[in-house]
Amino acid sequence: MANNTADIDSFVEEWNDSIAEKTIQASAIDGIRIITIHQSKGLEFEHVVIPFCDWTLEKGNTIWCTPQVEPYNELPLIPVDFSASQMKGTIYEFDYNEEHLQNCVDNLNLLYVAFTRAASSLFVIAQRGTPSSRSYIVEQAITDIKLEGSSLDGDPSDKKAELLFSYGELEIVETKAKKKSDNIFTPEVENMNVDMATFSNKVEFKQSNKSRDFVADDDENTDDDDRKQLSYIKTGKILHYLFSTINTTDDIDTSLAQLEMDGLIEESGTNIKRLRDMLHKRFSNRQVADWFSSRWTIFNECTILDYDAATDTVREHRPDRVMKDEKTGEVVIVDFKFGSPRPEYVEQVNRYKALTQNMGYPNVKGYLWFVYSNRIEEV
């Protein structure tokens, strides 16, 4: 939570994504613990409430049967959908009865565990008239219970009427003050009153992290020439990022829209129309259009690992765009550049080519694409 913004929408989203699934372990004072029956095994509580004592006795699943009738007995095991309507009256009726009996025993054991957690009082709430649920057996049992001091309110013959079975009296236990321990290491747990309040959430502009990265180096004292250079560099960074999201020319508009949504285009000093016009102009080049056609399998900024035996280290290399023609086996490597040509650029692409050839691709070509001048150099 410390890394998120302090607004109700973000909190609700974080709650749904992760917080709702977490639990806080604490020794509750005058509190309520909500746990499953399985989690309550071995525990005891003064008061127990079972609010949904009407779980389904049997659920549809697959059981493995051993057929005893020819020719099915030639198979050692057969998976069968567990269903009374489908198994009764067939050669699998015995298997159904065995599974049904086991389910009844398991459910009775579960009910026993739930009922025996209470030390002073037990409240059971369930629906009536559902033969396939555990509450149906409880309903049948309470009509036959004859205990001195018990009472049953409601008409059992009326399936829509509410039934209230009561036995004993509710005991109000006064909390006795615990003796203060002399052990300074024994923590004293006390109730704490917490004031809750809500406040109106004011709408405010929130800059995306990606946008902040692009404008972080733009100092207020920068002069006009430097600002133009910064804008030039930022546009190059945006185009470099944009090319990594484009597989074919059909992706241009979608990628531009995402950049605009991230707040990157406006902060670069350009606009979406200028970027779109520049891209379409550059992609009108026949060779560039071929690079961004659908005939290639694309690997955008994928890392190539290289082991350097001299230094006993693993080095990472990341070409901007690697394209593979699945039919001919041809591999083309393109590195995007947004400045003036440099000798190290050629060395970089040659290194990419050598690594790719070492991976078993003999037909490899490498290019430098200087985007602003639309100049292409084969390496």
Side-chain angles (χ1 to χ4, degrees):
M1 293 297 293
N3 297 325
N4 292 299
T5 54
D7 64 88
I8 189 64
D9 292 335
S10 299
F11 175 77
V12 171
E13 183 178 356
E14 184 70 17
W15 178 275
N16 292 332
D17 290 344
S18 62
I19 301 177
E21 299 177 358
K22 300 182 182 300
T23 59
I24 300 176
Q25 299 295 333
S27 297
I29 297 179
D30 298 334
I32 298 175
R33 294 187 63 181
I34 302 176
I35 57 177
T36 65
I37 298 176
H38 290 287
Q39 291 172 335
S40 71
K41 286 184 177 180
L43 303 178
E44 183 180 87
F45 306 94
E46 287 296 322
H47 310 283
V48 172
V49 179
I50 306 175
F52 307 105
C53 191
D54 44 23
W55 61 85
T56 304
L57 291 175
E58 296 177 329
K59 296 181 179 180
N61 57 3
T62 301
I63 64 172
W64 292 89
C65 304
T66 303
Q68 305 295 328
V69 179
E70 294 183 350
Y72 307 105
N73 59 358
E74 295 183 11
L75 294 173
L77 290 173
I78 293 180
V80 179
D81 290 336
F82 181 67
S83 169
S85 60
Q86 296 183 22
M87 298 183 69
K88 282 187 173 182
T90 70
I91 62 173
Y92 304 110
E93 183 171 358
F94 175 80
D95 298 277
Y96 170 80
N97 291 333
E98 286 288 316
E99 185 71 15
H100 177 68
L101 177 61
Q102 187 61 50
N103 284 337
C104 290
V105 172
D106 290 343
N107 276 278
L108 284 174
N109 288 336
L110 196 63
L111 197 65
Y112 172 81
V113 171
F115 281 13
T116 54
R117 298 309 94 197
S120 297
S121 61
L122 172 66
F123 301 86
V124 180
I125 305 170
Q127 292 183 341
R128 293 192 61 194
T130 310
S132 61
S133 72
R134 170 52 58 206
S135 60
Y136 186 73
I137 298 177
V138 176
E139 178 185 347
Q140 290 180 315
I142 61 176
T143 57
D144 296 331
I145 293 178
K146 306 298 182 182
L147 287 175
E148 185 178 352
S150 66
S151 64
L152 180 63
D153 297 331
D155 184 3
S157 62
D158 185 356
K159 299 301 180 182
K160 296 183 179 180
E162 292 185 358
L163 297 181
L164 176 60
F165 176 82
S166 303
Y167 177 71
E169 296 181 357
L170 183 61
E171 181 183 3
I172 306 299
V173 181
E174 294 183 1
T175 304
K176 297 181 180 179
K178 293 183 178 180
K179 183 179 179 181
K180 188 176 181 180
S181 174
D182 295 330
N183 188 343
I184 61 174
F185 296 104
T186 301
E188 295 184 9
V189 183
E190 297 179 354
N191 288 334
M192 177 182 295
N193 294 326
V194 179
D195 296 328
M196 305 294 292
T198 59
F199 302 91
S200 59
N201 185 27
K202 296 182 179 180
V203 178
E204 58 182 18
F205 171 75
K206 294 178 181 177
Q207 189 179 30
S208 69
N209 292 333
K210 293 180 180 178
S211 175
R212 187 180 296 107
D213 290 341
F214 275 93
V215 301
D217 55 353
D218 193 359
D219 189 84
E220 293 182 358
N221 298 321
T222 307
D223 58 29
D224 291 342
D225 291 338
D226 288 340
R227 286 184 184 278
K228 289 181 181 179
Q229 182 66 17
L230 282 173
S231 177
Y232 184 82
I233 294 173
K234 289 174 185 176
T235 303
K237 290 169 67 177
I238 288 177
L239 287 171
H240 194 282
Y241 174 76
L242 184 64
F243 289 145
S244 70
T245 65
I246 298 176
N247 288 334
T248 69
T249 52
D250 295 334
D251 302 328
I252 293 177
D253 290 336
T254 302
S255 297
L256 283 173
Q258 185 61 49
L259 281 180
E260 188 175 35
M261 187 178 300
D262 290 337
L264 302 183
I265 294 179
E266 182 178 354
E267 299 295 346
S268 68
T270 184
N271 57 62
I272 192 169
K273 183 179 183 304
R274 288 176 58 188
L275 282 177
R276 184 181 287 109
D277 292 343
M278 179 189 294
L279 287 174
H280 284 294
K281 187 175 181 179
R282 298 298 183 270
F283 281 45
S284 64
N285 183 301
R286 183 174 301 176
Q287 190 167 19
V288 175
D290 177 64
W291 289 343
F292 288 86
S293 66
S294 59
R295 78 181 182 97
W296 303 97
T297 299
I298 307 299
F299 304 93
N300 280 332
E301 296 196 7
C302 291
T303 301
I304 301 175
L305 299 179
D306 172 36
Y307 174 67
D308 187 353
T311 60
D312 192 28
T313 58
V314 177
R315 298 177 297 183
E316 294 185 4
H317 309 271
R318 184 173 294 182
D320 292 334
R321 186 178 180 90
V322 179
M323 298 160 282
K324 178 185 175 184
D325 189 326
E326 299 292 348
K327 294 182 180 179
T328 64
E330 178 186 7
V331 176
V332 175
I333 300 173
V334 179
D335 238 32
F336 312 126
K337 302 300 178 184
F338 301 91
S340 303
R342 296 181 181 179
E344 54 264 33
Y345 293 162
V346 177
E347 296 175 5
Q348 188 180 41
V349 174
N350 277 327
R351 187 159 54 248
Y352 295 156
K353 289 173 58 179
L355 290 170
T356 306
Q357 289 170 344
N358 290 338
M359 289 189 290
Y361 299 97
N363 187 10
V364 181
K365 294 182 179 179
Y367 295 90
L368 286 168
W369 180 25
F370 297 92
V371 179
Y372 283 136
S373 61
N374 205 17
R375 176 184 170 186
I376 299 174
E377 289 185 8
E378 183 172 1
V379 178

